[in-house]
Amino acid sequence: MIRVSLPDGSVRELPTASTALDLAASIGSGLRKAAVAATVNGVDVDLTRELADGDEVAIVTSNTDEGRHVLRHSTAHVLAQAVTQLYPGAKFSIGPAIENGFYYDFDLPDDQTFHEDDLARIEAQMKEIVKQNQPFIRSEHSMSEAKELFADQPYKVEIIERVESAGADALDAGEVQGDTISAYRNTDEFVDMCVGPHVPSTGKLGFFKLQKVAGAHWRGNENGKMLQRLYGTAWESKQALADHLHQLEEAAKRDHRKLATELDLLSFPQELGGGLAVWHPKGAIVRKLMEDYSRLRHENGGYDFVFTPHLANGKLFETSGHLDFYADGMYPPMEMDNGTYYMKPMNCPMHCLIYKSRQRSYRELPLRLFELGNVYRYERAGTLHGLLRIRGFTQDDSHIFVTKEQMAGEVAGLLDFVLSVLRAFGFDEFTFNLSTKNPDKYVGSDEIWVEATQALQEALDAHGLEYSIKEGDAAFYGPKIDIDVRDAIGRSWQLSTIQADFQLPDRFDLEYVGADNERHRPIMLHRALFGSIERFFGVLVEHYAGAFPTWLAPTQVRVLPVSEAHEQHAAGVVERLEAAGARADMVKADVGLGKRIRTAKMEKLPYVLVVGDDDVAADTVGVNLRRDLVTEGADDVERDVAFDAFVERFRAEVDDAQSAALSA
C-alpha cells in the first residue's frame, strides 16, 4: 500500500501502482467523473500517472481554470487529428490552449486554405473522434528519437532542433520542456508532441465549437510562412459552452473597434500602419475627461508631475536592463550622429534620471513622480487588436521612491487609490493576482525578490483581499500586483498594476541620505491606474456598449426642433445648455423628427430634447431619456418640462457623478 496527501491535509491509503484516477475514484464517483488531470508534488500530470508513497496530490476537475486548460489543449489535439484525416499531407505546428479556447496552426498541401464553411465538416470529424473514446497515450523520447518520430512534420522538428540548440522560447513551452520530448498518441496514425497533461481519452471531451479561420505567420514572424489557423472554444458542459457563446454574441455587439467607427470616436487608418490610432473629436473629448480626472486625482494625491522625451540614447536602456531583457518588445534602433537611439518602451528609466538629478534626503520620501507618458512597443502584427493591443500608447505612469520602512504602507495606499479610480469609471468587481519571479528571466538576488514579494503580499492581506499567485509571471525587475476588472457581460480585463522594484534603483545607483546621515538605496514602486489610456478607453467602450455615463458622454444633450420654424429657438436652447456646462448640439429639421430621434438612439446620447410650438411659448422641452430611446417608448417621454428644471436635474446628475468619482 501507499499513502498520499490531499490538499486538505488528509492522508489516503491506496494499493501500490494506483493512479491519480484511482485516487479520484476512491474519493467519490462525482470526482472521478469530473477529473481531467492531477497535480502531484506541484507538477501537473495525467490521471494515468502512477502515484508513489508520500506524494502530495490534488485532483484537477473540468470546472476549474486549470481543468478547462486541459480540456482545451486536448481538444486542440483532436482538431489536429481531424484535419490530418480530412486533409492528407497537412502539416501541423502548434496548438495551445488560450483564454476561453484554443487554436491550431496548419500548413495545408497544394496551397489549400480553410474557409468558414469548412468548420462544420472539421467539427463533425472531431465529434467522431470523441465518440470513439480514443485514449491519450503518453510516451517520452530523446531528441533524436523525437526527430525520427516527427520526421514528416517539419514544424515539430524545427521546435525540437531549437530546444537542442538552447533557442527555445515561450512559443515552444507547450510543446517541449526540458531535454526529454513527450508525445501523445491517439491512434497508430496520429501522434502529437506536447508536454501535457491531457484527459485520459477523447470521450472526456465533446463540448466544443470551432469559431473562425485566420492566417498566422509561423512563430509570429511577419517574414515567416503564412499558416492557416483554426480557433475554437471548449468547455466542461453543454450549458457552459452555451453561456460562453452567448457572451461572445454580446461581445461582438460591444466590440470597441466597431463602436468606435459607428460613434465616430477614433479610427485606425491604413496609412498610419498597424497598431496606431487617430482620435476623432468625440473620442478626444472622452480621452480629455479621463486625462483631466487622472491629473486632478494625482494632484490631490501628493504627486509631482514630470515630462520625459519619446526617445533616448541606447545607453539608458543598457543601464536599465531593457536591452538585455526587453529588446524584442522595443522598436529597432535609430543610428544618429551622436549614438544609437530607441523609442522608449517605458517611462521608468527616465524617472530614475529625474530622481538622480540631485542628492535626495529621507525627508523627501515618498517621492511620487507622475506622467501621462507616451511609450512605443513593438507588438507583432498578429497580436494587434484595436486599442487593447497597440504599438503606441499613453500610460498614466507613476514611479514612487520610498524607504524600506515606507513600502508596505505606500503599497496599501496605492491599492486604495487604484480601486477608487476603477470604481469611479463604473467597475466594482475585481480580481487580484500576485506575480512572482520568473526563474529564467530576472535580475537581483533571491533574497531581494522574497522581500519584495512579501511586501506586496502583506498589503493584499492587510486589505483582506483574495488573490491568486501567478508563479513566474513578473517582469524581470520585480514582483507585481495586477488588478483585473469584470465588465458588464462578465469578462475579465487586466488594467491596473502595482510593481515593486529593487533593481532599477540599484542599476541607476539611486540614493538618499537617511536620518543617520548615511547613504541608503530607495525602493521604487511602479504604478499605472488605467494601465494605458488607450486600453482603458477600449474597455470602457465595451463595458458601456458605447453608452457612456452622462458625465463622460461626448455629446450629453441633443436638441431637436420639430420643424424649421423652431430651429432658432432650438439654437438658443443649445446656447443656454452650453452656458450651464453641457456638451450639447442641435440637428436641424431637414428630415422627419422620428428619423432624427432614431439617429440619436444609434449615437447612444444620454438626453434628447424636443422643442415645438408649446415649448417655444412656455420655455419647456420634451425630454427623451436614453432608456426611452432604447425602448422607443413614446408614452414615456417627459413632456412640458421647464427648461430650468431640466438644467437643474442635468447639473445635479453630472455634479453628483463627478463628486462620487473624486471621492470614490
Side-chain angles (χ1 to χ4, degrees):
M1 303 294 285
I2 60 171
R3 290 164 59 85
V4 298
S5 301
L6 301 179
D8 63 1
S10 64
V11 175
R12 205 159 190 94
E13 199 169 74
L14 299 166
T16 301
S18 292
T19 65
L21 186 58
D22 294 329
L23 171 62
S26 74
I27 296 172
S29 59
L31 182 60
R32 185 188 189 284
K33 183 178 180 180
V36 292
T39 302
V40 177
N41 303 324
V43 178
D44 295 332
V45 301
D46 300 316
L47 285 172
T48 53
R49 161 81 170 266
E50 286 191 12
L51 302 177
D53 189 54
D55 279 346
E56 296 180 357
V57 187
I59 301 299
V60 177
T61 57
S62 62
N63 63 343
T64 63
D65 288 343
E66 296 81 2
R68 293 185 189 106
H69 181 92
V70 174
L71 288 177
R72 291 161 185 162
H73 202 173
S74 300
T75 306
H77 277 235
V78 171
L79 169 59
Q81 184 179 358
V83 167
T84 56
Q85 290 174 346
L86 295 173
Y87 300 83
K91 309 302 179 186
F92 47 99
S93 58
I94 58 173
I98 57 176
E99 184 179 10
N100 296 327
F102 59 90
Y103 69 79
Y104 220 120
D105 291 345
F106 298 94
D107 187 357
L108 299 182
D110 304 321
D111 294 324
Q112 295 181 76
T113 57
F114 293 122
H115 302 281
E116 296 294 332
D117 53 8
D118 293 325
L119 297 183
R121 185 167 70 107
I122 298 170
E123 203 172 283
Q125 188 68 18
M126 293 172 66
K127 290 179 178 177
E128 183 60 31
I129 294 169
V130 168
K131 184 178 177 181
Q132 294 170 10
N133 198 26
Q134 300 172 3
F136 281 88
I137 301 174
R138 180 184 174 93
S139 58
E140 295 185 349
H141 308 271
S142 67
M143 298 287 182
S144 58
E145 291 170 343
K147 283 192 285 187
E148 183 177 348
L149 179 63
F150 292 101
D152 63 341
Q153 293 295 334
Y155 298 100
K156 301 295 183 182
V157 172
E158 182 182 329
I159 292 171
I160 297 167
E161 290 175 342
R162 200 160 36 249
V163 173
E164 275 189 307
S165 63
D169 59 18
L171 289 173
D172 306 316
E175 304 286 321
V176 179
Q177 287 181 3
D179 297 329
T180 301
I181 307 297
S182 55
Y184 284 82
R185 182 177 292 279
N186 292 59
T187 65
D188 291 340
E189 293 77 26
F190 183 77
V191 62
D192 199 356
M193 184 169 72
C194 182
V195 298
H198 284 290
V199 295
S201 64
T202 59
K204 294 283 284 187
L205 309 173
F207 305 109
F208 59 84
K209 179 74 175 174
L210 294 185
Q211 296 169 291
K212 65 177 180 178
V213 177
H217 291 283
W218 171 230
R219 299 187 62 75
N221 184 342
E222 294 178 16
N223 297 318
K225 184 175 178 61
M226 177 62 75
L227 304 179
Q228 303 294 308
R229 176 171 294 181
L230 296 180
Y231 283 97
T233 187
W235 295 82
E236 70 273 16
S237 68
K238 182 178 180 179
Q239 186 60 53
L241 174 62
D243 290 345
H244 177 67
L245 294 177
H246 176 70
Q247 185 187 71
L248 290 179
E249 291 176 6
E250 289 299 310
K253 299 174 187 175
R254 294 167 178 262
D255 189 317
H256 73 280
R257 297 166 298 179
K258 169 177 169 287
L259 290 173
T261 299
E262 293 175 355
L263 302 177
D264 194 23
L265 301 173
L266 52 85
S267 59
F268 299 87
Q270 291 185 349
E271 295 86 345
L272 274 183
L276 299 168
V278 290
W279 294 70
H280 300 189
K282 291 181 180 179
I285 288 172
V286 183
R287 177 173 179 145
K288 180 179 181 298
L289 290 168
M290 292 168 58
E291 292 182 351
D292 288 348
Y293 172 82
S294 179
R295 289 188 181 96
L296 183 58
R297 288 297 306 272
H298 284 89
E299 187 175 355
N300 294 339
Y303 287 76
D304 293 317
F305 288 44
V306 297
F307 297 91
T308 59
H310 292 232
L311 74 167
N313 192 293
K315 293 179 181 178
L316 176 67
F317 301 117
E318 289 176 4
T319 301
S320 68
H322 285 89
L323 284 179
D324 292 329
F325 294 96
Y326 200 75
D328 290 345
M330 297 172 65
Y331 272 91
M334 295 174 280
E335 298 300 332
M336 312 287 276
D337 56 2
N338 63 340
T340 302
Y341 283 72
Y342 290 85
M343 302 299 290
K344 65 174 177 179
M346 299 180 185
N347 299 302
C348 41
M350 298 183 183
H351 289 192
C352 287
L353 296 181
I354 293 172
Y355 180 96
K356 194 178 180 179
S357 63
R358 62 176 176 82
Q359 181 174 291
R360 303 287 178 175
S361 165
Y362 73 97
R363 294 185 178 89
E364 297 178 68
L365 307 184
L367 177 63
R368 305 180 183 100
L369 302 182
F370 169 73
E371 175 179 17
L372 285 169
N374 293 340
V375 296
Y376 305 89
R377 298 181 187 175
Y378 176 67
E379 302 284 359
R380 296 184 184 277
T383 67
L384 298 174
H385 185 81
L387 294 176
L388 305 181
R389 195 75 179 264
I390 196 167
R391 286 173 170 165
F393 53 94
T394 304
Q395 289 187 304
D396 60 330
D397 217 358
S398 178
H399 296 95
I400 304 163
F401 301 89
V402 298
T403 67
K404 179 179 176 181
E405 295 74 22
Q406 293 169 334
M407 179 169 60
E410 191 69 19
V411 171
L414 287 175
L415 279 172
D416 290 332
F417 195 2
V418 168
L419 295 180
S420 71
V421 168
L422 296 177
R423 289 188 177 109
F425 285 88
F427 299 107
D428 54 18
E429 292 186 58
F430 310 104
T431 302
F432 301 88
N433 297 295
L434 176 62
S435 297
T436 62
K437 181 181 69 178
N438 181 340
D440 300 320
K441 197 172 185 179
Y442 72 98
V443 293
S445 68
D446 291 339
E447 180 183 355
I448 285 176
W449 273 85
V450 168
E451 193 170 356
T453 303
Q454 286 178 345
L456 296 183
Q457 203 160 4
E458 288 171 5
L460 288 165
D461 291 338
H463 277 66
L465 300 172
E466 294 184 7
Y467 56 93
S468 300
I469 295 179
K470 289 181 148 183
E471 299 287 353
D473 195 50
F476 66 89
Y477 47 79
K480 64 175 179 174
I481 297 171
D482 286 326
I483 296 105
D484 297 358
V485 302
R486 189 170 298 277
D487 72 8
I489 60 172
R491 296 173 300 175
S492 183
W493 301 94
Q494 195 276 306
L495 294 176
S496 307
T497 300
I498 300 171
Q499 182 146 24
D501 186 352
F502 288 84
Q503 314 309 326
L504 285 185
D506 200 43
R507 297 176 77 94
F508 280 90
D509 195 26
L510 305 183
E511 296 178 333
Y512 67 90
V513 178
D516 57 1
N517 287 323
E518 298 293 330
R519 296 183 180 275
H520 302 273
R521 189 78 73 208
I523 296 165
M524 184 178 182
L525 299 174
H526 304 248
R527 190 243 58 206
L529 301 182
F530 293 144
S532 78
I533 297 292
E534 288 77 4
R535 179 175 170 81
F536 195 86
F537 180 87
V539 173
L540 271 184
V541 170
E542 300 202 6
H543 177 57
Y544 288 113
F548 293 106
T550 303
W551 74 279
L552 271 178
T555 302
Q556 296 168 313
V557 186
R558 173 160 295 165
V559 181
L560 301 179
V562 172
S563 69
E564 185 177 350
H566 309 114
E567 288 180 358
Q568 183 175 353
H569 178 77
V573 170
V574 170
E575 290 180 4
R576 293 161 68 192
L577 286 168
E578 290 176 338
R583 294 184 291 276
D585 67 11
M586 181 192 78
V587 175
K588 293 183 177 181
D590 296 334
V591 296
L593 180 62
K595 184 174 181 179
R596 284 179 286 148
I597 289 177
R598 286 192 293 274
T599 299
K601 169 187 172 181
M602 298 296 294
E603 294 182 31
K604 303 178 185 289
L605 304 182
Y607 290 100
V608 174
L609 305 184
V610 176
V611 294
D613 288 336
D614 292 342
D615 299 303
V616 172
D619 196 21
T620 58
V621 292
V623 180
N624 293 261
L625 300 176
R626 183 157 49 198
R627 64 174 180 271
D628 300 321
L629 295 175
V630 170
T631 60
E632 294 187 352
D635 293 340
D636 296 329
V637 174
E638 299 178 36
R639 302 184 187 281
D640 303 322
V641 178
F643 175 80
D644 289 341
F646 170 77
V647 169
E648 183 178 352
R649 186 172 75 181
F650 169 82
R651 282 272 27 120
E653 178 187 348
V654 173
D655 292 345
D656 288 350
Q658 291 177 332
S659 296
L662 292 173
S663 61

